[in-house]
Amino acid sequence: MAQTADPVTMEKITALCKRRARVWEASGHLESFTDPLVDCRHCGQRFRADHLQDLECPEKPSKHPGEGPNCDLTEARAFNLMFETTIGPVKEQGATIFLRPETAQGIFVDFPQVLQTSRKKPPFGIAQVGKAFRNEITPGNFIFRTREFEQMELEWFVPPGEAERWFEYWTEERLRWYVDLGIRSDHLQLRPHGPDELSHYSSQTSDVEYLFPIGWSELEGIANRGDYDLRRHAEFSGKKLEYFDSATGERYVPHVVEPSAGADRATLAFMVDAYDEEEVEGEPRTVLRLHPRLAPIKVAVLPLVRKDGLPEIAQRVYQDVRRRVQAEYDEGGSIGRRYRRQDEIGTPWGVTIDHQSTQDETVTLRDRDSLQQERVPIAELAGELERRLDADWTTPKSG
Ligand code: ATP
């Protein structure tokens, strides 16, 4: 089959893509979304110049790049992190496009449509969760830095005079979000950026940092972007991107405060912070002390043995509770092993159906952290689980 596309369609796609590529020009990413890169003339490896102290030269004995006897690093040069490709079946006929390195720009471009359809008045926000792609020079540390990742961004549009106040608000609010979801507050800190560190669009930025095993590292950035984005997109598209109040005649370009977080990085912090090992009755136990709201399974329903009518009652209990909370049924292996398995994936509660259950319609409810067991009537179980899920929670993990 001939490898050509319908010329009219291709023309339209090309025009659209050129407009899309202009988005990255307007946002400043084509020019400024770079990391400093150095090459080693000796080993041929590339390193991020501002992370040399965290990286290892591939040659033995292991040292930081530039510190080994043979290291021969080039001067740092700017390396653009955007992935570039062409659209359409024929490369030569296609237009250049970029995979988005952040979710924010789509929000700015769609600002007038959202304003018109939602009929909001600043302050208001547009949030998005989605994939972002960056050609990272040195990905690694498990899911801390990957080339495809999930971002959660909020663009908070405010009247120009209110940006600083909202910046303070969102900085505190975002720090609190991690604490409320169980992260130890002494493992979190806010780090304001110095003037030489600020991105091209930002007048104020603070990072929420977490004490990862690799040291204090960024979880999220909160930036005061001013009117940079709306102004630039308006300039490049020729369309007005402003708020107009027809009742008062008020007209202005809103300023933007942006909390920008990585879902993968937050997940890593939640897991690292929850991981615990302890000894229970002379046996080692690994337990993920996740906040119950974050635990993927809230309750495990476990018949003590696979006979005497216990699995039948357990199935009935499981079918009942799973309509209210995420539940798992498990009847395979010893009860001790089944508890341990659930402890390792962070399931906060275990329900065991034993012989007493056949007599009095009660079950034992075991708490992952305290290991305390209580007898609860089956009829009250789902309600009790919901009550516990709703309650305040702080990690029992210390240190
Ligand atoms: P870093 O300095 O770690 O490269 P950044 O300052 O470039 O991060 P931002 O552009 O502020 O990151 O992106 C917002 C958030 O997106 C980061 O705080 C982080 O949680 C997440 N993030 C950014 N790059 C990656 C990546 N390569 N892998 C996973 N998450 C990422």
Side-chain angles (χ1 to χ4, degrees):
M1 235 202 318
Q3 282 278 298
T4 48
D6 161 25
V8 178
T9 311
M10 272 319 287
E11 226 167 80
K12 281 187 188 156
I13 292 177
T14 305
L16 184 70
C17 291
K18 282 192 176 139
R19 286 208 299 277
R20 291 272 157 82
R22 291 271 286 172
V23 167
W24 301 114
E25 212 179 317
S27 68
H29 281 80
L30 266 182
E31 199 189 336
S32 311
F33 195 64
T34 56
D35 276 341
L37 168 83
V38 290
D39 293 86
C40 178
R41 296 186 192 91
H42 176 69
C43 70
Q45 294 280 318
R46 294 180 152 184
F47 306 99
R48 210 171 127 173
D50 55 341
H51 283 183
L52 291 181
Q53 284 311 308
D54 306 325
L55 300 171
E56 268 189 23
C57 163
E59 303 228 322
K60 299 285 172 230
S62 65
K63 292 204 183 277
H64 298 306
E67 293 178 3
N70 299 319
C71 293
D72 184 10
L73 301 185
T74 61
E75 286 295 306
R77 63 194 159 90
F79 172 76
N80 195 299
L81 297 181
M82 284 202 294
F83 280 108
E84 185 180 321
T85 184
T86 40
I87 199 152
V90 185
K91 191 163 185 262
E92 293 68 32
Q93 291 175 9
T96 301
I97 54 159
F98 300 93
L99 300 190
R100 64 177 181 189
E102 60 173 33
T103 58
Q105 298 306 320
I107 296 178
F108 296 126
V109 173
D110 285 347
F111 172 76
Q113 285 84 343
V114 176
L115 190 65
Q116 196 183 19
T117 51
S118 67
R119 303 172 68 236
K120 296 271 183 214
K121 177 179 165 65
F124 74 93
I126 308 175
Q128 192 176 181
V129 180
K131 290 280 181 220
F133 304 86
R134 295 184 187 179
N135 195 2
E136 296 283 356
I137 299 165
T138 34
N141 288 319
F142 190 35
I143 54 169
F144 181 84
R145 187 179 304 286
T146 52
R147 291 194 170 113
E148 175 185 341
F149 57 99
E150 196 86 11
Q151 261 193 337
M152 315 187 280
E153 293 189 300
L154 167 66
E155 308 310 317
W156 186 253
F157 299 94
V158 302
E162 295 183 15
E164 278 192 33
R165 177 166 76 77
W166 283 110
F167 174 76
E168 298 304 326
Y169 171 86
W170 279 111
T171 308
E172 292 306 318
E173 191 63 18
R174 293 305 304 150
L175 187 66
R176 199 167 62 82
W177 187 77
Y178 293 97
V179 176
D180 283 355
L181 285 174
I183 296 221
R184 290 165 294 174
S185 47
D186 60 354
H187 280 56
L188 285 168
Q189 70 180 19
L190 278 173
R191 192 183 65 79
H193 282 206
D196 53 336
E197 215 189 332
L198 289 171
S199 308
H200 58 278
Y201 51 75
S202 169
S203 61
Q204 270 174 304
T205 296
S206 275
D207 286 345
V208 179
E209 295 190 333
Y210 176 72
L211 186 53
F212 283 97
I214 52 170
W216 286 104
S217 310
E218 177 180 335
L219 263 184
E220 160 163 1
I222 299 106
N224 180 350
R225 302 178 73 116
D227 62 357
Y228 176 84
D229 305 277
L230 291 181
R231 206 170 29 77
R232 289 276 294 192
H233 286 299
E235 256 169 47
F236 278 70
S237 66
K239 288 186 191 144
K240 279 191 176 147
L241 297 175
E242 56 186 22
Y243 171 73
F244 175 62
D245 189 329
S246 52
T248 62
E250 196 184 9
R251 182 189 290 280
Y252 57 82
V253 177
H255 284 214
V256 172
V257 174
E258 175 199 68
S260 171
D264 314 74
R265 234 178 242 190
T267 304
L268 183 60
F270 288 128
M271 289 200 295
V272 165
D273 208 71
Y275 185 88
D276 207 1
E277 290 173 355
E278 65 177 2
E279 204 169 283
V280 177
E281 292 165 9
E283 292 279 315
R285 171 171 97 123
T286 301
V287 52
L288 207 54
R289 301 192 193 277
L290 287 175
H291 189 299
R293 286 216 302 274
L294 288 180
I297 312 275
K298 313 298 181 202
V299 63
V301 181
L302 317 166
L304 184 65
V305 288
R306 231 185 314 182
K307 59 182 182 182
D308 305 334
L310 303 190
E312 287 74 8
I313 301 177
Q315 268 298 334
R316 173 158 59 82
V317 169
Y318 168 62
Q319 294 303 339
D320 180 39
V321 293
R322 73 189 285 253
R323 288 186 295 131
R324 314 264 285 268
V325 297
Q326 291 94 331
E328 194 172 278
Y329 176 82
D330 186 6
E331 61 173 30
S334 79
I335 190 75
R337 272 173 173 264
R338 279 180 276 159
Y339 280 147
R340 292 289 180 271
R341 198 180 146 259
Q342 295 296 336
D343 289 343
E344 282 180 19
I345 62 169
T347 307
W349 302 292
V351 165
T352 307
I353 289 79
D354 56 15
H355 290 95
Q356 191 181 327
S357 312
T358 62
Q359 318 274 306
D360 65 2
E361 282 284 306
T362 64
V363 291
T364 61
L365 180 54
R366 171 188 182 267
D367 183 273
R368 174 196 70 199
D369 299 318
S370 67
L371 294 174
Q372 273 172 3
Q373 304 207 10
E374 264 174 62
R375 280 214 91 83
V376 178
I378 291 174
E380 292 170 19
L381 182 64
E384 173 62 17
L385 290 168
E386 282 178 340
R387 190 192 62 73
R388 290 186 180 201
L389 250 185
D390 221 28
D392 287 342
W393 186 90
T394 40
T395 179
K397 194 175 151 181
S398 55

